[in-house]
Amino acid sequence: MRIAFILDNIILGQEPLGATTIGAVLKQHGHTVDYFDIPRDRIYWTTDAVVEFKPDLIGYSISTGLHNRYMAYNRLLKQRMPDFLTIVGGPHPSYFPDFIHTDTIDFLCVGEGEWPMLELVEALEAGKPVADVAGLHIKMPDGSIRKNPPRAYEQNLDALPFPDHSFMLKFPHLRDNPIAYLMAGRGCPYNCTFCFNHVALDLQEGRYTRYRSPENVIAECMELRDKYGKRYMAFQDDTFSLNFRYLEKLLPLYAEKIGLPYLAHLRADNLTERMADLLAETGCKRAVIGFENGDFEIRHKILDKKITDEEFLASSQLLHDRGIELLTQNMFGVPGETVESALATIELNIRCKADVMVIHFFQPYPGTDLAIMASEMGLWEGTVDDIPECNHWFVVLDLKDKELIDLIGKLSYFLLDYPKVFRILKPLAENKATRKLAFPLLKLCRWFDMKTIYSKRRGPGCRWHPPKAVFAAPEATSTGAARALGPVYCPTA
């Protein structure tokens, strides 16, 4: 069969590992797979390339907020190719399976999709019934919905092929980017209220947090380095630091066989001196730590992330002492957010000497504990269709001082780079008597920030720059394309 995966340009800052792993499974079994992107601006939408491919089945991996965009595009395709079938999967369909009632959708996958997708495609190609494919909700010919139970989580991740990294060759910004994205495992055992993990834990049977064998991870790194010219590995596991014994096996092997710098996502409360030493000795050049919010009460009582300021400071120092850059993940506009807590988030980053800050505005994804809390607090009356397409845009909840909190969030990069400006503006913004004075000053800073996109500490364009290590990596790749690059847009690495 011929299968097309449609991906929105908004998410194509890096390779979509879910869709490309499913693509690899299908290719492994002899099916023809291709990938297509939807331009960000709808005036540039075209269906010509997909129509020319002549797919039998079109798949979408959908996050909440992008669901209406994808379905609008699917309707355009249906106008030109009425006979293809549509399957949707990913977070949004998994947590809102009633999405199957949307017109033009034929199948909906709940949970991980490699084996349900393969079984569906094999059955369709052989002309066999598909009504009993585990993990799928199926729109029957009479319009009724058949809801099959989900499969158990695949426990042997080595049984899956590597993601179809040939995907990158179709998109020059990924093909020529020296950064590779991969995961050593799947799942996260924590229950932060803003995240989907507490829902995913019970979505399918079996252990949720799983690891690939070190040898399997190293083999993929070799492929990325030698076949695709990558020279920096960005591990995307939610909590790379969760299992120290696993890292003691993986990382020395990585240093010996791969020898390239890498990025890892860590948690401040399980980073130890021994682990920091191991990371530094094996080539870790940048660590990502989720600060979320600078107010401990909000982190503890609302976000259920019980990490203290002292733990953030200590873990940051461990990294700085070993020459590892610190990138922090921060979230503005959560329930309970105030002007003071928003400023505290920036202040915590300054105290921890963060090298790069990434900000997100809280999105009340229905089904998460924090979205339920926001609704109960009267801060959100919208539906899933009212959630923005991107979580970098603006404060969503109806918070007191919403406009000021939104402005502080958008200025966080600038204020991290100019801590003296922050210290002048902070008391003005915190004091209600002087807040009216602070607001135009903050707007002036925002204008300057947008006009220059300049960082005093790291140079033009730094907020999205790849780690310095990318451009100092050893000549360990087999292609010259990546080594000849200048800076590239890379918001998450």
Side-chain angles (χ1 to χ4, degrees), residues 11 16 24 49 72 117 136 198 208 270 278 297 322 336 376 414-415 431 473:
I11 68 168
M117 186 72 160
L136 295 188
H198 64 274
Y208 178 51
N270 59 25
L278 179 62
E297 290 299 307
R322 290 156 179 81
E376 291 174 347
F414 176 85
L415 295 174
N431 189 329

Side-chain angles (χ1 to χ4, degrees), residues 248-478:
E248 284 184 305
K249 297 176 182 177
L250 171 66
L251 294 181
L253 193 61
Y254 177 91
E256 176 190 350
K257 301 289 187 180
I258 306 302
L260 292 175
Y262 66 90
L263 168 147
H265 291 248
L266 314 175
R267 266 185 67 107
D269 55 353
N270 59 25
L271 178 63
T272 64
E273 282 198 45
R274 284 182 63 202
M275 185 181 295
D277 286 339
L278 179 62
L279 292 166
E281 290 164 2
T282 55
C284 182
K285 297 300 181 183
R286 175 175 282 184
V288 182
I289 294 181
F291 282 14
E292 317 310 349
N293 194 280
D295 184 288
F296 176 71
E297 290 299 307
I298 288 179
R299 286 200 306 273
H300 180 80
K301 295 180 179 179
I302 294 179
L303 304 182
D304 198 21
K305 192 162 189 173
K306 300 177 177 65
I307 302 178
T308 65
D309 287 2
E310 290 70 29
E311 287 174 313
F312 284 125
L313 287 162
S315 61
S316 301
Q317 194 61 51
L318 287 173
L319 297 172
H320 291 312
D321 287 347
R322 290 156 179 81
I324 299 174
E325 295 178 20
L326 171 62
L327 182 151
T328 66
Q329 299 275 12
N330 306 270
M331 186 163 47
F332 290 88
V334 300
E337 183 86 281
T338 62
V339 170
E340 291 77 12
S341 65
L343 291 166
T345 300
I346 299 173
E347 186 166 33
L348 180 61
N349 277 269
I350 292 172
R351 291 173 65 200
C352 291
K353 301 176 184 177
D355 291 285
V356 182
M357 231 181 131
V358 173
I359 72 154
H360 309 269
F361 292 105
F362 168 68
Q363 309 286 286
Y365 297 128
T368 61
D369 289 346
L370 201 53
I372 295 169
M373 187 186 304
S375 180
E376 291 174 347
M377 294 170 68
L379 301 173
W380 172 252
E381 296 181 355
T383 70
V384 68
D385 292 328
D386 297 315
I387 293 174
E389 294 174 356
C390 179
N391 63 16
H392 296 287
W393 286 354
F394 51 80
V395 170
V396 174
L397 300 186
D398 295 324
L399 299 168
K400 183 182 178 183
D401 299 313
K402 175 179 179 177
E403 188 177 0
L404 183 54
I405 292 169
D406 183 88
L407 183 56
I408 290 169
K410 290 171 180 172
L411 264 178
S412 56
Y413 304 110
F414 176 85
L415 295 174
L416 173 66
D417 288 332
Y418 292 88
K420 289 183 179 178
V421 176
F422 173 76
R423 293 188 181 99
I424 292 170
L425 293 175
K426 179 175 180 283
L428 295 176
E430 286 179 328
N431 189 329
K432 293 180 181 179
T434 57
R435 195 165 284 174
K436 287 185 178 179
L437 175 62
F439 204 81
L441 291 174
L442 287 164
K443 282 193 170 183
L444 178 63
C445 290
R446 177 66 174 160
W447 174 85
F448 178 74
D449 184 41
M450 296 302 295
K451 193 77 174 175
T452 61
I453 308 297
Y454 178 79
S455 164
K456 182 181 68 172
R457 286 167 51 191
R458 292 176 294 277
C462 75
R463 66 182 52 159
W464 309 123
H465 77 327
K468 301 181 189 76
V470 169
F471 303 109
E475 297 289 317
T477 59
S478 61

